[in-house]
Amino acid sequence: MSLGSKYQVFLSFRGPDTRIGFTDVLFHSLNDSGICVFRDDEEVRAGERIDGSLQRAIDNSRIYIPVFSRTYASSQWCLRELVQIVANTSISEGEKEILPIFFDVEPDDVKLKTPLYRDAILNLEHEKKLSTEQADAWRKALMEVDAIKGWEVKKYKGYVDVIKLVVEEVVKKLKIKHRSVTENLVGIDDRVMAVNELLDVNFGGVRLIGIYGMGGIGKTTLAKVVFNQLSFHFGKWCCFLENIQAKSSSTNGLIELQKKLLSEIGHPERARSIDEIDYGTKRIEEALNNKKVLIVLDDVANNKQVEELVGRSSLYPGSRILITTRNKDVFRVRDQTVKS
């Protein structure tokens, strides 16, 4: 992918401090959740200016994650990036956000209340013979970012805990898998709460929940709202298959639905090889046996379609399947239902 492509997240960090370890794990965790991330490293760049392609990567990103570390403010490159990041965010009218991480520094360091960053900028100013205007722009950018609530890594047991929270927050803000629904829906909140309680994403086992009722009463809308609220818990491992009854009636319709499901939960290579339903079901079972997923099967006609789309084997612990249907018999071998 070229630097000018549209990224969703821009990581700004000091390579020697965090590249091996924290930033690398964060980068791959975001990628694994289906997020397009640009990771800059000032050590691999020549020159003193932010070039056009890097500027486009900054401009096109929706979320910026600066990882503040001991020598972040000793890098002109990091500070220049930060100025551009703050400038982009301030003119975005709320469309862009900065999510700061304080790796091995305190917020007061970034706020220039301690010598760490304050002296680093003074040293750059003198050594590089920089203008006061340039140094003041760096100071201003640091002060503005520090006013934003972020994560202090030292407050967590390990990298994994804080990275998990960062990834969840990014997925939630980007609304990566969200389905379009009408705003200001009336009378739906109680039903959404009821379905969420039955799904209970904090429960470690597997749950299959059904929403049934006649056509036109809002089953699909209810499922979309629930899906939008819960999808961030599952990263890229979630899928909403809509209008299954209609789509499966067309030639190879069920196979196309199987391919879509596998592709959306991160297995496009398995999807490409599917040419008949039983084989597709087998590939799906293999995928769902190794990762917790959130899958919505909308407008299912019978439980054969359920088995063809999520398999007959045990699902990975933590998985959630939500089904909408006009046929209550779809659940005759299942024990969880909720009436719409």
Side-chain angles (χ1 to χ4, degrees):
M1 185 175 291
S2 68
L3 287 180
S5 299
K6 190 171 180 65
Y7 290 90
Q8 294 168 302
V9 172
F10 186 97
L11 289 181
S12 176
F13 64 99
R14 187 77 203 274
D17 290 351
T18 70
R19 184 202 314 105
I20 298 174
F22 184 84
T23 298
D24 191 55
V25 175
L26 175 60
F27 173 78
H28 288 291
S29 296
L30 289 165
N31 263 324
D32 287 346
S33 292
I35 298 164
C36 188
V37 188
F38 180 78
R39 171 174 55 175
D40 186 37
D41 187 341
E42 84 281 2
E43 286 201 341
V44 301
R45 297 191 167 278
E48 297 293 317
R49 298 174 62 84
I50 293 180
D51 62 22
S53 56
L54 179 58
Q55 182 67 58
R56 285 192 295 276
I58 296 175
D59 290 345
N60 291 334
S61 294
R62 160 77 174 78
I63 289 176
Y64 305 105
I65 303 180
V67 182
F68 293 116
S69 56
R70 302 294 294 177
T71 67
Y72 186 95
S74 298
S75 165
Q76 293 182 80
W77 193 266
C78 290
L79 293 169
R80 288 194 185 100
E81 281 184 353
L82 192 66
V83 169
Q84 294 297 322
I85 286 169
V86 170
N88 272 23
T89 306
S90 65
I91 63 173
S92 71
E93 298 182 346
E95 291 297 315
K96 297 175 183 285
E97 293 185 67
I98 301 172
L99 302 178
I101 295 174
F102 303 94
F103 179 67
D104 54 1
V105 298
E106 304 282 345
D108 278 353
D109 295 323
V110 180
K111 203 178 294 183
L112 305 178
K113 287 187 174 182
T114 71
L116 185 64
Y117 278 19
R118 194 172 62 221
D119 289 353
I121 292 177
L122 281 173
N123 290 337
L124 283 175
E125 194 174 0
H126 295 144
E127 290 174 8
K128 304 293 184 179
K129 295 182 171 55
L130 303 173
S131 67
T132 302
E133 182 181 9
Q134 172 72 82
D136 284 346
W138 295 343
R139 295 183 180 103
K140 183 172 183 286
L142 286 166
M143 298 283 283
E144 289 192 30
V145 171
D146 186 71
I148 303 167
K149 182 175 175 58
W151 294 271
E152 295 179 57
V153 173
K154 71 172 187 178
K155 292 185 175 181
Y156 298 87
K157 292 181 180 178
Y159 294 170
V160 173
D161 293 339
V162 67
I163 287 172
K164 181 176 183 290
L165 292 175
V166 173
V167 172
E168 285 185 356
E169 186 67 15
V170 171
V171 170
K172 189 188 302 183
K173 288 182 179 296
L174 290 176
K175 299 179 179 179
I176 291 173
K177 297 271 189 170
H178 273 212
R179 310 295 295 185
S180 177
V181 294
T182 304
E183 293 184 6
N184 303 317
L185 294 167
V186 178
I188 199 172
D189 291 348
D190 288 344
R191 290 188 292 164
V192 170
M193 186 181 300
V195 177
N196 281 340
E197 286 177 357
L198 287 170
L199 288 168
D200 187 9
V201 294
N202 295 315
F203 171 68
V206 174
R207 290 198 170 175
L208 185 149
I209 305 298
I211 306 172
Y212 70 93
M214 67 180 68
I217 62 172
K219 299 185 300 298
T220 298
T221 299
L222 174 57
K224 285 180 177 179
V225 174
V226 170
F227 182 83
N228 288 349
Q229 290 186 3
L230 301 183
S231 57
F232 78 92
H233 289 285
F234 298 83
K236 71 178 179 182
W237 294 280
C238 52
C239 177
F240 192 111
L241 292 180
E242 197 165 356
N243 298 324
I244 289 173
Q245 183 168 313
K247 291 177 179 176
S248 62
S249 64
S250 63
T251 304
N252 292 328
L254 208 292
I255 290 175
E256 292 304 314
L257 287 168
Q258 291 178 326
K259 289 182 176 181
K260 178 178 172 63
L261 190 153
L262 280 170
S263 295
E264 290 206 4
I265 62 172
H267 295 282
E269 73 289 344
R270 296 187 185 188
R272 285 191 291 268
S273 64
I274 296 174
D275 55 6
E276 57 94 21
I277 292 173
D278 286 346
Y279 181 70
T281 300
K282 182 180 178 182
R283 310 297 329 160
I284 289 170
E285 287 177 342
E286 292 170 354
L288 301 189
N289 191 45
N290 293 306
K291 196 74 181 179
K292 76 171 185 178
V293 296
L294 170 64
I295 297 173
V296 176
L297 305 179
D298 172 59
D299 196 21
V300 173
N302 52 64
N303 57 15
K304 185 171 185 289
Q305 291 176 344
V306 176
E307 292 181 347
E308 289 168 340
L309 289 169
V310 297
R312 305 168 187 87
S313 301
S314 298
L315 300 177
Y316 193 84
S319 292
R320 298 292 182 268
I321 309 297
L322 179 60
I323 298 169
T324 75
T325 183
R326 305 178 192 188
N327 177 15
K328 189 177 180 180
D329 289 341
V330 165
F331 312 113
R332 66 180 181 270
V333 295
R334 309 292 184 180
D335 59 6
Q336 287 277 16
T337 61
V338 57
K339 188 171 183 178
S340 174

